[in-house]
Amino acid sequence: MPLPVSILDLATVARDQPVGEALAGTVALAQKAEESGYARVWYAEHHNMARIASSATSVLIAHVAAHTTTIRLGAGGVMLPNHSPLTIAEQFGTLESLHPGRIDLGLGRAPGSDQNTMRALRRDNTSSDTFPQDVLELQGYLRGESLIPGIDAYPGKGTDVPLHILGSSLFGAGLAAALGLPYAFASHFAPAALHQAIELYRREFKPSQQLDEPHVMAGYNVIASDDQADAERQRQEVLRSRVALILRPGTPYTDEQADVLLESPQAQHLHQMMTYSAVGTPDVIQKQVNQFAEETGADELIVAHQGTRVEERLRSVDLLADAYLG
């Protein structure tokens, strides 16, 4: 029986594409996922990235939820050190009140940005030091068991929005295990510690009010196409778009220049980010997804459909559903 498959959508903005058009594509993708049998769609908080339109994560979730009916939606994740726990409890309590039983809250401790943007967000390198305590404070608000006397989240109190811990290191795995929460590993862009983190999480997991047994979500890239050559072309376009990560912000470059840079040592980590990827036609995708699921022993896959154009991502959503979800 196939594992549940969910989607991580970065609300990708193509070159010269209006943001509103990209967000309309995000709605269409969630609607397609709902029709195709995916478990949930999550949106990631990133800042100061021109190609990602999911920075106002709770606002985007609200918009997509209003245009879908059954699929679970959530943050994958909210970078909690960027916010007060009370504010996030209010935001996600509002979402849960509007869309009961459909909202998830994944939490990370990274800034979701660079150092300059971190300062613009009014946080510093110590902001993540209290992440475990902030998670517990947030959980208390949502359960109606506030850890701060006289302070409650309205809306939020008693909504008990399910929490998930996100991570790409052993820290998140250990925290999720200690708190008895589901754990989502960001292997779609930070693959190095995947197996070690999963092993640690399962070994140290303690049952909780939310969860009786460990639940691992593993991130995976998918570029599914009707044609293998087209899938490989899409993969190259994704890598070209990421060349911006190793250049000074705003530096223009051509596809030819990107291809040269991608062959250089400075770009090796861009290739490593795609270590766990399925690229190709449905039969190829099915085999690679099955292999990844078996190797990780994950309980759920969370897939980033990486095509740079919305029509490519929509087709990839369809093809993966047909190939794997049946």
Side-chain angles (χ1 to χ4, degrees), residues 25-316:
T26 288
V27 172
L29 189 146
Q31 292 170 334
K32 178 73 71 175
E34 185 172 76
E35 296 166 2
S36 303
Y38 288 80
R40 64 186 102 223
V41 182
W42 281 1
Y43 305 95
E45 177 187 346
H46 291 278
H47 298 281
N48 196 33
M49 295 185 181
R51 297 289 182 88
I52 295 177
S54 54
S55 55
T57 313
S58 59
V59 177
L60 182 56
I61 293 168
H63 180 66
V64 176
H67 289 81
T68 52
T69 57
T70 59
I71 195 165
R72 295 194 68 90
L73 301 166
V78 161
M79 300 298 106
L80 190 54
N82 293 344
H83 315 272
S84 73
L86 179 60
T87 297
I88 297 303
E90 291 168 343
Q91 291 178 6
F92 281 80
T94 300
L95 288 168
E96 175 64 22
S97 299
L98 290 168
H99 307 283
R102 295 183 57 202
I103 303 301
D104 298 325
L105 177 48
L107 301 168
R109 67 182 182 123
S113 60
D114 55 42
Q115 293 293 317
N116 287 335
T117 307
M118 187 188 303
R119 287 192 287 273
L121 289 166
R122 301 300 189 267
R123 62 171 288 183
D124 58 36
N125 290 324
T126 67
S127 300
S128 62
D129 292 350
T130 59
F131 180 64
Q133 293 80 12
D134 290 344
V135 171
L136 290 173
E137 183 182 336
L138 172 58
Q139 187 178 60
Y141 291 134
L142 294 171
R143 286 182 175 169
E145 302 170 356
S146 177
L147 301 183
I148 301 179
I151 304 297
D152 284 298
Y154 301 110
K157 182 178 181 178
T159 55
D160 212 13
V161 176
L163 303 183
H164 304 248
I165 299 297
L166 280 59
S168 57
S169 69
L170 302 186
F171 177 89
L175 179 63
L179 298 182
L181 295 175
Y183 179 56
F185 190 88
S187 38
H188 63 291
F189 76 89
L194 171 63
H195 296 285
Q196 191 177 1
I198 291 176
E199 193 278 329
L200 172 67
Y201 170 68
R202 292 197 182 280
R203 184 180 69 245
E204 298 189 0
F205 179 84
K206 298 178 181 178
S208 68
Q209 181 178 326
Q210 179 177 326
L211 195 64
D212 292 330
E213 297 179 347
H215 186 87
V216 172
M217 300 169 66
Y220 195 54
N221 298 298
V222 170
I223 300 175
S225 176
D226 296 286
D227 177 75
Q228 185 69 35
D230 180 67
E232 298 292 346
R233 175 195 60 78
Q234 290 185 46
R235 183 182 186 279
Q236 188 66 14
E237 287 190 358
V238 170
L239 288 170
R240 286 169 179 164
S241 72
R242 293 182 177 180
V243 164
L245 297 174
I246 60 175
L247 298 175
R248 184 177 303 169
T251 302
Y253 60 89
T254 65
D255 287 347
E256 291 75 15
Q257 290 170 327
D259 289 342
V260 171
L261 281 169
L262 287 168
E263 295 299 320
S264 69
Q266 296 94 315
Q268 286 310 299
H269 72 283
L270 300 181
H271 295 279
Q272 291 168 358
M273 288 168 67
M274 297 284 286
T275 297
Y276 294 119
S277 301
V279 179
T281 55
D283 56 330
V284 172
I285 295 294
Q286 182 184 52
K287 180 179 179 181
Q288 293 175 339
V289 171
N290 279 325
Q291 182 177 348
F292 180 73
E294 182 177 346
E295 288 177 354
T296 60
D299 302 293
E300 181 176 341
L301 302 181
I302 184 154
V303 167
H305 290 277
Q306 290 287 3
T308 58
R309 302 179 181 88
V310 65
E311 60 271 18
E312 294 170 345
R313 296 194 293 276
L314 289 172
R315 185 58 180 154
S316 187

